[in-house]
Structures are given as C-alpha cells and as structure tokens.
Amino acid sequence: MRVFGTGLSAGRLLGLWLPPRAPQPPGSRLTSGRAAAAGALERAMDELLHRAVPAMPVYELREKTPAPAENQCADFVSFYRSLAEVAERAELLGRLARGFGVDHSQVAEQSAGVLQLRQQPREAAVLLQAEDRLRYALVPRYRSLFHHISKLDGGVRFLVQLRADLLEAQALKLVEGPHVREMNGVLKNMLSEWFSSGFLNLERVTWHSPCEVLQKISESEAVHPVKNWMDVKRRVGPYRRCYFFSHCSTPEEPLIVLHVALTSEISSSIQAIIVKECPQPEAEDRSKVTTAIFYSLSLAQQGLQGVELGTFLIKRVVKELQKEFPHLGVFSSLSPIPGFTKWLQGLLKSKVKDHGRSELFTDAECREIAEVTGGPVNETLKALLGSSEWVQSEKLVRVLQAPLMRLCAWYLYGEKHRGYALNPVANFHLQNGAVMWRINWMADASLKGITSSCGLMVNYRYFLEDTAANSSAYLGSKSIKASEQVLSLVAQFQKNSKL
C-alpha cells in the first residue's frame, strides 16, 4: 500500500513551470504575471485530471481492466495538497465534477435499451443485464478515482478532508452547480459505507487518556466551548462520561464526540453541568446515578457531515452506560436551540412594518414590556435580543419568560421544513425517537446561549422501549411526540400569538 509522500506538486506536474508567486511591482507586469500563473495552474489541473482519473472501461471489460497505477492516485493527492488556497482547491474540484462525471450519451443509450426490452417479451436475464448496463453507465468517472484513493495509506482520511474542503467551498460559493452537488452526494455515500457502524470503535475519554486525544476532544467541542485544561478535567471526571467514535483504520482519532452527565434527575440548566464553581468530587456515589444527560454532541471531522454517526453513537453509549449502571433508567438530552433568536428577530422585524402593532404578545405583555424598555415592543425587542444585555434587567427577564417560552415551543413544535421540525437539533432527536420533553428558561446563561436562543434549552427524553415507534411515526407521518408541558405551551401560543 502506497504511503503519501511529497509527491507531485502543481509546479512539478509534467515538468510544467509555474510563475513564482512572490510579490511584484504594481503595474501591467503584475497583472500579466498573475494571469499567466492562473492559466498555467489551470492547464496543470486539466493535465493532472486526465492522467489521474481512470477512463471507464467498456461494460464487457469492466472486471478485466487493471486498476490504475498507484502513483496516478498519489499524484492527485500530492497535487491537491500543494494547493494552499481554498479557491484553488475549489477550482480543481469543480473541474473534476464537471468534466469527469457521468457519460450522458451512454445513459441515454442504455435507458433506451431497457425501455425497448420492457416492451418486448424477453427472458428475465436479458432485461436484468440491460439494467446492469444502465447502472454501470450511471457511475461517474470520479467515483473510480475516489475508490482507488481510498486504498492508499491514509486515503480515506484524505477523502474526508477533501469533502470538508468541498463543503466549505460550496458555503463560500466558490464552486456551485448541479455537478458539484452530485459529486458531493457521491462522496458522502461512499463515506457512509466506509464509516458504517461495523467499522467504528467506541472509545471512552478519561483524564488519563493520551494528551493528543484530550486536545482533539477540546478542539472539536462545538456546543459548549472548553475554556481550559481544568474544564477538560471536569468534563471527563467523576459523574461525567465522554465517548467518541474512531474508525478502525485510525484509532484514537475522534470522528464524533458525545459528552454525558450522570445525575439524579433531568437537568434543566447547563450551568449545573459545566460551570467552574461546581465542586469536583473525588469519587462517584453510584446509588445517586439514575439519569444520563447527553449535553454535547460534536462532529470532529467536518467532511463527515450528513453521515449517520450521531444516532449510532448515542445507541452505543446507552448500552455502555447500562452495562456500567444496570439501574440507570432515565436518558435525556439537554440541547441548545440554535436559530431561535434569529427566527424570533425575523418575526419582530416583519411586525415592525405592521405599523408597530404586535400579534406575538398579549396586550398586557405589551404594556409590561413597554414599561421596562420604554419603546415600541417589536422594534425595541428586535434590537435588544441581538445582544446579551437584556438579561441584566431582572424585570425584563421576568416579563419575557412567558411569551418567549410559548414562542420557543411553537418554533420547535410548529415550525416545519418539508413537514419535519425546522430546528436541526430537534429534527435529529425526533428522528431518533425521542420525546420533546421540557423547555427550560434561562438554561444557558453564556453569551452564545443568550444570543442564539435567548438562554433557552430543551430536553429530548429517550424512552428506550418507545424510540422505534416514535421514530417511525415522525419519519412516516411527521408526527411529533411531545410532553404535556410542551403541548401546553404550544396551545398558549395558538391562543395568544399570531404569525
């Protein structure tokens, strides 16, 4: 198996000379130099792709054609890594997607053959072979490149990073279009196969884990950022558990990380779990542990977005905790509500245009809010909720609790995207079969918590015996299982607020 080395850089490809990128004096020479460099780089990309991407053999020879030489795939990897700029990598990926996808003429020809055979009485074997030919024609050329790269030492890891770069380039609109989206989908499906649960190892993190692992866990934390090493120590210490998935080819390399708090009840505040002032006990009293709170789930490899890892990780961790604590009976998340503040500000902005009239709050609430803020309710709140300063007023916090609780309940329960929960965290847990259990006021007093969700958090409770049925109901009929508290808040919204 080939190991990546320095390999082929953009400047060395086929002996091609690229103009140096050193700063030049302003003027026409600089402009022409940059244009020449860009042109040379584009030619280098095209030459590389035609060398590295294997041609699709004819159908009859598909299993007899030898694999391309390893150095061709390694050359692609080395060239790609030599491109330091995001835009350059995006350009190469765009050319790969557009120029080395499906042969549409072959697809049309094979499709016509299948349709013709279906109209004539033929043996099943003849039709099945024609359909197999069509499937073969639908495979893009670049898939073969990805497949052969995966066989190189470190190749799968490289493809994970390549997809992360592709997603970043799409987000920055450096590369767009249906061909790029199709290539992203093909690569995602390939990664989903390589990172299926059978190839994943569950690893627990403790304070005695290798320093490199602790560092990666700290850096990957996206929900509640880690402040320092003492913070890390608390999160892997007594009454806490931290687990991650690694791939069998890359042990001790976190792919996705789950943090768990072991408590005696369902937590209603993240401060009680991660704040500095919490005492650090020397040992656990196992009799007090009745509840497991999943309070942070972070993807450590961005190239694995959309690959189903979180669901498998939670299921594996539940089984692991049940082995350690046979009496453990309650499983729940304590989840953030990203996007709630932005959604609410959008509503307030639309109401501002309605001559200052508010349909989100009752008349009594409007009067109370106006007394505290001293201005028009919608316009003033829209400005206040953009920062964390409003929580400094205890009176305003008290006045806003009831309306924001019911608005949040509606956002989680009633706002939909294609029939499913609009909020991505809610959608994730509901797909897993959890119950929307409890909305918690001022549950996250951090700057991030206040600005992104007005300090609100939500518990999604997992009744293990019901998760399969709940998941099927949500995915099939788009029915959300929710507690009485949530449904009561939704009813209050429907009675007192209008969108």
Side-chain angles (χ1 to χ4, degrees):
M1 185 174 287
R2 178 162 180 144
V3 180
F4 299 149
T6 54
L8 194 66
S9 67
R12 293 175 55 200
L13 178 65
L14 303 176
L16 182 65
W17 177 83
L18 294 182
R21 299 184 186 180
Q24 300 182 40
S28 60
R29 289 181 58 191
L30 179 58
T31 303
S32 61
R34 286 176 176 171
L41 182 58
E42 290 173 0
R43 290 192 299 274
M45 289 180 180
D46 289 337
E47 292 173 16
L48 168 79
L49 292 175
H50 282 94
R51 276 166 41 89
V53 184
M56 294 288 286
V58 296
Y59 178 80
E60 289 75 13
L61 300 177
R62 66 194 183 284
E63 295 178 354
K64 300 177 181 179
T65 303
E70 283 189 357
N71 65 327
Q72 292 179 225
C73 298
D75 284 349
F76 176 88
V77 173
S78 298
F79 183 93
Y80 183 86
R81 285 177 168 168
S82 74
L83 301 174
E85 301 294 330
V86 176
E88 293 175 345
R89 293 187 173 191
E91 177 65 25
L92 178 63
L93 294 176
R95 287 171 180 266
L96 177 63
R98 292 188 298 270
F100 299 86
V102 169
D103 185 338
H104 297 290
S105 62
Q106 272 294 309
V107 173
E109 181 180 333
Q110 300 303 328
S111 299
V114 171
L115 291 173
Q116 185 178 4
L117 288 172
R118 286 182 60 84
Q119 295 170 359
Q120 303 172 357
R122 292 292 183 95
E123 293 183 5
V126 177
L127 178 59
L128 290 174
Q129 186 181 55
E131 291 173 342
D132 192 49
R133 285 176 177 272
L134 175 57
R135 277 193 296 272
Y136 183 71
L138 286 167
V139 177
R141 280 181 63 182
Y142 50 69
R143 193 185 191 284
S144 181
L145 172 66
F146 297 153
H147 174 71
H148 291 299
I149 287 176
S150 72
K151 296 180 179 181
L152 299 175
D153 188 18
V156 173
R157 180 183 294 184
F158 168 79
L159 291 172
V160 171
Q161 184 56 53
L162 182 144
R163 182 163 182 261
D165 293 342
L166 179 60
L167 292 171
E168 181 185 10
Q170 287 180 287
L172 296 172
K173 300 190 181 301
L174 295 174
V175 60
E176 299 179 277
H179 295 91
V180 173
R181 291 193 295 272
E182 175 66 17
M183 188 171 77
N184 176 47
V186 168
L187 188 51
K188 172 191 160 186
N189 290 337
M190 296 178 77
L191 291 172
S192 295
E193 293 179 6
W194 297 329
F195 288 87
S196 62
S197 58
F199 298 113
L200 302 177
N201 299 319
L202 180 66
E203 302 189 41
R204 180 183 166 187
V205 183
T206 70
W207 186 240
H208 302 292
S209 297
C211 184
E212 294 79 6
V213 172
L214 291 169
Q215 181 69 31
K216 290 174 182 176
I217 294 297
S218 173
E219 292 172 351
S220 67
E221 176 56 42
V223 184
H224 306 291
V226 175
K227 300 179 178 64
N228 49 45
W229 280 107
M230 286 305 298
D231 196 4
V232 175
K233 187 175 183 179
R234 281 191 295 273
R235 298 191 192 197
V236 299
Y239 296 104
R240 302 292 180 266
R241 295 293 185 272
C242 177
Y243 299 92
F244 68 87
F245 268 152
S246 64
H247 193 264
C248 58
S249 65
T250 54
E252 297 189 346
E253 180 72 31
L255 304 175
I256 187 169
V257 184
L258 177 65
H259 287 271
V260 185
L262 303 174
T263 66
S264 59
E265 60 182 2
I266 297 180
S267 303
S268 60
S269 167
I270 195 63
Q271 285 83 233
I273 294 176
I274 64 172
V275 293
K276 185 176 180 179
E277 290 74 14
C278 286
Q280 185 77 2
E282 294 296 327
E284 296 173 347
D285 182 349
R286 300 173 69 86
S287 65
K288 294 181 178 179
V289 177
T290 62
T291 306
I293 303 296
F294 311 127
Y295 68 90
S296 175
L297 182 66
S298 297
L299 190 64
Q301 305 289 338
Q302 296 308 308
L304 296 176
Q305 288 183 40
V307 176
E308 191 173 5
L309 296 175
T311 299
F312 292 138
L313 181 55
I314 289 176
K315 289 180 178 179
R316 289 277 293 275
V317 167
V318 166
K319 291 181 179 178
E320 196 72 14
L321 292 173
Q322 286 178 320
K323 291 178 185 177
E324 187 179 2
F325 301 94
H327 61 284
L328 192 63
V330 180
F331 298 90
S332 174
S333 78
L334 179 60
S335 301
I337 312 173
F340 171 62
T341 301
K342 184 178 180 181
W343 172 81
L344 180 54
Q345 286 181 308
L347 289 183
L348 292 169
K349 182 179 180 180
S350 66
K351 300 301 180 183
V352 167
K353 298 178 181 178
D354 190 18
H355 307 291
R357 183 183 170 203
S358 176
E359 295 181 333
L360 301 177
F361 310 98
T362 65
D363 292 341
E365 289 168 346
C366 285
R367 287 193 297 270
E368 287 187 289
I369 295 171
E371 286 178 9
V372 178
T373 62
V377 172
N378 294 324
E379 192 169 352
T380 306
L381 279 185
K382 179 180 176 297
L384 284 174
L385 296 179
S387 70
S388 61
E389 295 180 5
W390 63 274
V391 297
Q392 304 302 319
S393 169
E394 293 184 8
K395 189 173 182 180
L396 185 58
V397 170
R398 178 183 57 77
V399 168
L400 289 178
Q401 179 173 355
L404 292 192
M405 285 280 284
R406 69 171 182 265
L407 284 163
C408 183
W410 178 257
Y411 169 69
L412 293 172
Y413 185 88
E415 288 295 308
K416 303 293 177 63
H417 173 67
R418 297 178 179 175
Y420 298 104
L422 174 66
N423 182 265
V425 179
N427 186 53
F428 169 78
H429 287 290
L430 294 171
Q431 284 186 6
N432 292 344
V435 176
M436 192 178 291
W437 187 250
R438 186 176 67 200
I439 298 173
N440 305 291
W441 178 246
M442 285 296 125
D444 185 356
S446 69
L447 176 63
K448 181 179 178 181
I450 297 298
T451 54
S452 68
S453 59
C454 300
L456 288 153
M457 298 188 78
V458 57
N459 301 113
Y460 297 98
R461 185 168 176 181
Y462 285 79
F463 293 92
L464 302 184
E465 66 277 9
D466 298 330
T467 53
N470 292 343
S471 177
S472 297
Y474 179 68
L475 294 173
S477 60
K478 302 173 182 176
S479 173
I480 294 177
K481 190 77 171 179
S483 68
E484 291 184 6
Q485 186 239 28
V486 174
L487 294 177
S488 174
L489 288 169
V490 169
Q492 292 176 36
F493 169 85
Q494 294 171 326
K495 177 182 178 182
N496 298 308
S497 304
K498 293 182 182 179
L499 296 184

